[in-house]
């Protein structure tokens, strides 16, 4: 797609606002007391859902690029990836600040007994360095290692789905839906990777452009 | 129906205070004092069908959760695994006429009309804590009658060691039954001494009104010292048996949901802690409440489990 710099900037702003809209809707629902009988859970679950959705969207961009043979999808990769981290951070904060009321006693009591929370914390731990090294400067500084580091997102996506699967009581429908989407996204990457042998070299030249 | 005077200590605890005050005003207005137009109070406060039902023994002195929260946050997998969807979908259930089949180790078995059961069992109110296995809790003013009173009318024999309850199976209406979220129909059970305990209750209403369909109308069990999934909804069958019945959640995941399912902060669910509970309807800054053994009913029920290892027979 050949668009002017201005048009791309505008599209970026629109996507930015769209990505932020779930956050504003949740804030407004919280203020208006419209989160239902268990507001903390509603907040916590919605934020977790959005984090996982953005992880999936972020992972869809490279396959999309290759499928369309166009480079524009990766223009949004950093922003959408950071939105995944934004919602994951809020999800984590709601748990620590609201659900546990910042009580260390509650944390050490609950977390070891809850494997799904451990997996959730692990996921958050994996995402954090990715967010911290998301700048262009870091990308350049780390070079090849940056790409290797950012492959952690595959692991993070898988552990996020396990986190969800492990939480539900019996209705696995929704977490399995995410698992399916993730499977398709990751296997499409593998497929495309095998198709283009020197994947790393390509990615590096892309970076140097 | 027996109509006794309501205990003055508890009534203010049960009804929201503003409605409580307004109700008096409405009654005055209805008596001829023409201030009706000045009253913003909801008219429903006046017509609450069962406002005169007496408060029964074992009713607690707790502040009730808001009706809207209790009626909009329901686990009713027969309709949906989503708590809000089940609230809407349950409206399709036809609760009258309603029959209950009584089977097994009892002298009086057969098919009974719910109306006849209600005639034989005067209503009372019980304000009970309710603790879900998902670590949230609420306080509900139930209307109904002691389970023991009803069960005794069927004259269980000496062989009746357990009581099994079954929910209606009707996948055309209960569309959640088309999925395999659980094995259908839903079955729950109690040991006979648990069932005969005076705290065990059959509910037909709550908040001075008939039971909303999503809350288990027309007849549900309430066992306040056990996790909520024991309190089976829309009961159509009661069976007295010599052996322990297979119950829905226990069959689904025996390592996670025991037959007894007594509320116990010391025994964690394999995937989450049970030591604290979120109070429904509380503000987002209210910390969780520490869960009590037997949901705070230990003084009454702990003796039922004297010789049991509660961490094994959970």
């Amino acid at each position: 797609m050949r668009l002017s710099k201005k048009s791309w900037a505008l599209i970026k702003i629109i996507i930015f606002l769209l990505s932020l809209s779930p956050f504003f809707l949740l804030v407004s629902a919280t203020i208006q007391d419209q989160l239902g009988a268990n507001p903390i859970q509603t907040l916590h679950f919605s934020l977790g859902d959005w984090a996982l959705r953005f992880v999936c969207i972020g992972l869809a961009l490279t396959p999309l690029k290759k499928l369309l043979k166009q480079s524009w999808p990766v223009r949004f990769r950093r922003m959408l990836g950071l939105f995944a981290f934004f919602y994951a951070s809020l999800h984590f904060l709601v748990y620590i600040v609201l659900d546990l009321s910042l009580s260390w006693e509650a944390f050490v009591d609950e977390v070891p007994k809850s494997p799904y929370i451990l997996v959730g914390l692990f996921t958050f731990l994996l995402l954090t360095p990715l967010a911290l090294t998301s700048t262009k400067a870091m990308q350049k500084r780390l070079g090849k290692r940056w790409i290797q580091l950012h492959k952690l997102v595959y692991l993070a996506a898988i552990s996020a789905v396990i986190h969800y699967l492990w939480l539900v009581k019996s209705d696995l429908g929704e977490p399995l839906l995410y698992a399916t989407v993730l499977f398709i996204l990751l296997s499409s990457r593998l497929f495309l990777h095998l198709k283009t042998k020197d994947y790393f070299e390509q990615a590096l030249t892309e970076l140097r452009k | 129906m027996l109509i006794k005077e309501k205990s003055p200590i508890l009534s203010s605890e049960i009804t929201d205070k503003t409605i409580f005050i307004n109700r008096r005003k409405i009654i005055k207005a209805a008596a001829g004092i023409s201030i009706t137009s000045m009253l913003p109070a909801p008219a429903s406060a006046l017509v609450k069908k069962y406002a005169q039902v007496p408060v029964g023994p074992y009713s607690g002195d707790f502040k009730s959760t808001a009706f809207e929260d209790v009626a909009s946050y329901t686990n009713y997998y027969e309709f949906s695994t989503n708590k809000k969807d089940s609230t809407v979908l349950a409206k399709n259930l036809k609760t009258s006429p309603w029959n209950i089949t009584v089977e097994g180790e009892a002298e009086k078995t057969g098919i009974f009309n719910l109306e006849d059961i209600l005639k034989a069992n005067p209503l009372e109110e019980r304000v009970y804590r309710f603790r879900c296995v998902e670590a949230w809790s609420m306080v509900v003013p139930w209307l109904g009658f002691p389970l023991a009173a009803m069960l005794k009318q069927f004259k269980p024999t000496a062989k009746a060691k357990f009581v099994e309850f079954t929910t209606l199976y009707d996948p055309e209406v209960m569309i959640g039954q088309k999925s395999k979220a659980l094995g259908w129909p839903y079955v729950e059970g109690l040991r006979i001494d648990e069932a005969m305990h005076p705290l065990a209750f059959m509910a037909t209403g709550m908040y001075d009104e008939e039971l909303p369909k999503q809350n288990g109308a027309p007849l549900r069990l309430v066992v306040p010292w056990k996790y909520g999934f024991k309190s089976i909804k829309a009961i159509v069958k009661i069976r007295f048996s010599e052996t322990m019945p297979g119950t829905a959640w226990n069959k689904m995941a025996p390592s996670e949901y025991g037959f007894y399912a007594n509320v116990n902060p010391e025994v964690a669910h394999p995937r989450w802690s049970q030591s604290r509970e979120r109070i429904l309807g509380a503000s987002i800054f209210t910390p969780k409440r520490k869960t009590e053994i037997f949901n705070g009913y230990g003084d009454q029920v702990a003796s039922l489990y004297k010789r049991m290892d509660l961490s094994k027979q959970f």
Side-chain angles (χ1 to χ4, degrees):
Chain A
M1 274 203 291
R2 295 200 180 276
L3 291 171
S4 68
K5 256 194 168 174
K6 247 187 176 172
S7 311
W8 280 119
L10 189 69
I11 292 171
K12 262 199 174 166
I13 290 171
I14 292 169
I15 292 184
F16 179 83
L17 291 174
L18 276 176
S19 304
L20 207 55
S21 61
F23 170 73
F24 282 122
L25 290 174
L26 281 173
V27 170
S28 126
T30 309
I31 293 167
Q32 293 175 55
D33 198 14
Q34 283 172 345
L35 294 173
N38 198 344
I40 294 175
Q41 192 185 60
T42 309
L43 271 180
H44 192 201
F45 284 7
S46 310
L47 291 165
D49 275 341
W50 282 109
L52 191 49
R53 282 170 200 153
F54 276 101
V55 165
C56 291
I57 293 170
L59 283 171
L61 297 175
T62 300
L64 192 67
K65 178 190 104 176
K66 296 200 173 169
L67 217 66
L68 299 176
K69 297 204 166 84
Q70 304 227 4
S71 65
W72 63 264
V74 285
R75 280 170 180 266
F76 305 105
R77 198 166 50 182
R78 174 183 294 121
M79 181 170 76
L80 295 171
L82 281 172
F83 266 112
F85 184 70
F86 172 68
Y87 285 108
S89 307
L90 289 174
H91 176 67
F92 169 77
L93 279 176
V94 165
Y95 177 63
I96 300 293
V97 178
L98 298 181
D99 197 68
L100 294 180
S101 309
L102 291 170
S103 155
W104 177 248
E105 187 206 338
F107 183 87
V108 294
D109 177 63
E110 273 192 19
V111 174
K113 289 178 192 164
S114 318
Y116 78 94
I117 298 176
L118 284 169
V119 174
L121 290 172
F122 174 68
T123 309
F124 188 60
L125 227 63
L126 288 176
L127 289 174
T128 307
L130 307 192
L132 293 177
T133 59
S134 66
T135 60
K136 267 199 180 122
M138 282 307 261
Q139 206 169 3
K140 284 212 174 105
R141 222 170 99 185
L142 294 173
K144 203 169 182 174
R145 279 176 302 153
W146 189 90
I147 295 172
Q148 286 167 338
L149 176 70
H150 279 251
K151 290 205 183 306
L152 279 179
V153 75
Y154 306 146
L155 188 58
I158 293 167
S159 78
V161 169
I162 293 170
H163 169 58
Y164 193 177
L165 269 169
W166 222 336
L167 150 78
V168 292
K169 267 162 74 191
S170 79
D171 186 24
L172 300 174
E174 232 173 276
L176 283 180
L177 184 75
Y178 282 107
T180 311
V181 168
L182 192 65
F183 178 76
I184 293 168
L185 290 174
L186 294 183
S187 52
S188 73
R189 268 163 187 274
L190 189 69
F191 176 74
L192 293 165
H193 171 71
L194 293 175
K195 251 179 92 181
T196 49
K197 266 184 198 162
D198 40 5
Y199 182 78
F200 281 116
E201 280 304 313
Q202 266 198 353
L204 264 178
T205 40
E206 207 181 279
L207 266 173
R208 286 185 193 123
K209 265 180 202 168
Chain B
M1 196 171 81
L2 269 170
I3 299 178
K4 288 178 204 149
E5 218 174 68
K6 211 164 177 166
S7 157
I9 305 158
L10 289 163
S11 50
S12 63
E13 295 288 335
I14 295 148
T15 312
D16 183 75
K17 205 170 180 181
T18 52
I19 298 170
F20 178 70
I21 292 161
N22 284 335
R23 183 159 66 188
R24 316 265 131 188
K25 286 193 200 160
I26 294 164
I27 291 163
K28 271 187 205 161
I33 308 157
S34 58
I35 51 162
T36 325
S37 58
M38 293 157 65
L39 288 170
S44 61
L46 181 68
V47 292
K48 283 211 169 173
K49 200 172 166 187
Y50 299 103
Q52 295 304 315
V53 169
V55 175
Y58 300 97
S59 186
D61 196 3
F62 320 117
K63 189 184 183 300
S64 293
T65 306
F67 171 83
E68 295 72 37
D69 289 336
V70 178
S72 68
Y73 196 78
T74 55
N75 270 324
Y76 209 161
Y77 281 25
E78 278 78 355
F79 292 98
S80 168
T81 52
N82 178 300
K83 292 182 175 68
K84 266 197 170 160
D85 293 348
S86 64
T87 300
V88 179
L89 292 167
K91 305 232 184 300
N92 299 327
L93 183 67
K94 202 168 161 271
T95 53
S96 174
W98 193 269
N99 290 327
I100 290 151
T101 307
V102 178
E103 290 179 356
E105 310 292 345
E107 284 172 33
K108 283 177 78 179
T109 55
I111 295 169
F112 297 83
N113 190 290
L114 178 60
E115 282 192 14
D116 296 329
I117 292 176
L118 287 174
K119 271 178 211 157
N121 292 281
L123 293 182
E124 59 181 80
E125 182 173 71
R126 297 269 179 106
V127 181
Y128 277 162
R129 282 189 211 282
F130 185 97
R131 167 64 155 79
C132 179
V133 76
E134 295 166 5
W136 52 263
S137 72
M138 56 189 183
V139 173
V140 187
W142 302 105
L143 300 177
F145 43 85
L147 174 63
M150 179 185 77
L151 293 183
K152 280 174 191 158
Q153 286 155 14
F154 305 127
K155 305 209 160 124
T157 66
K159 276 185 174 173
K161 301 281 195 297
F162 292 90
V163 193
E164 176 189 298
F165 303 88
T166 307
T167 297
L168 175 70
Y169 179 70
D170 184 0
E172 292 311 309
V173 179
M174 295 179 143
I175 55 169
Q177 288 175 332
K178 287 178 179 168
S179 94
K180 290 197 171 76
L182 278 171
W184 309 112
Y186 195 91
V187 170
E188 256 312 332
L190 295 170
R191 218 168 54 193
I192 195 79
D193 58 338
E194 296 178 315
M196 290 300 181
H197 191 280
L199 275 175
F201 200 62
M202 291 307 275
T204 59
M206 64 185 210
Y207 296 85
D208 290 346
E209 303 266 21
E210 264 163 34
L211 208 54
K213 286 173 182 174
Q214 64 270 26
N215 293 89
L219 184 72
R220 70 169 294 167
L221 182 66
V222 179
V223 197
W225 71 94
K226 291 176 182 285
Y227 292 119
F229 67 84
K230 294 297 287 183
S231 293
I232 183 171
K233 293 169 168 174
I235 297 165
V236 292
K237 196 167 90 179
I238 296 169
R239 192 172 69 89
F240 296 94
S241 65
E242 206 169 0
T243 50
M244 186 184 277
T247 55
W249 279 101
N250 181 241
K251 275 184 175 165
M252 156 96 200
S255 64
E256 304 193 3
Y257 311 98
F259 172 82
Y260 291 97
N262 292 314
V263 175
N264 190 341
E266 303 300 319
V267 179
H269 180 280
R271 289 182 285 135
W272 57 79
S273 159
Q274 292 291 18
S275 51
R276 286 173 181 76
E277 64 205 40
R278 170 72 52 213
I279 303 162
L280 287 195
S283 99
I284 55 170
F285 300 110
T286 310
K288 283 191 265 192
R289 177 181 181 275
K290 282 200 174 170
T291 293
E292 293 175 57
I293 180 99
F294 299 115
N295 203 21
Y297 296 97
D299 288 349
Q300 290 94 324
V301 301
S303 59
L304 293 172
Y305 309 102
K306 263 187 297 203
R307 271 169 247 106
M308 280 169 56
D309 179 352
L310 295 176
S311 63
K312 290 204 176 79
Q313 288 174 293
F314 56 86

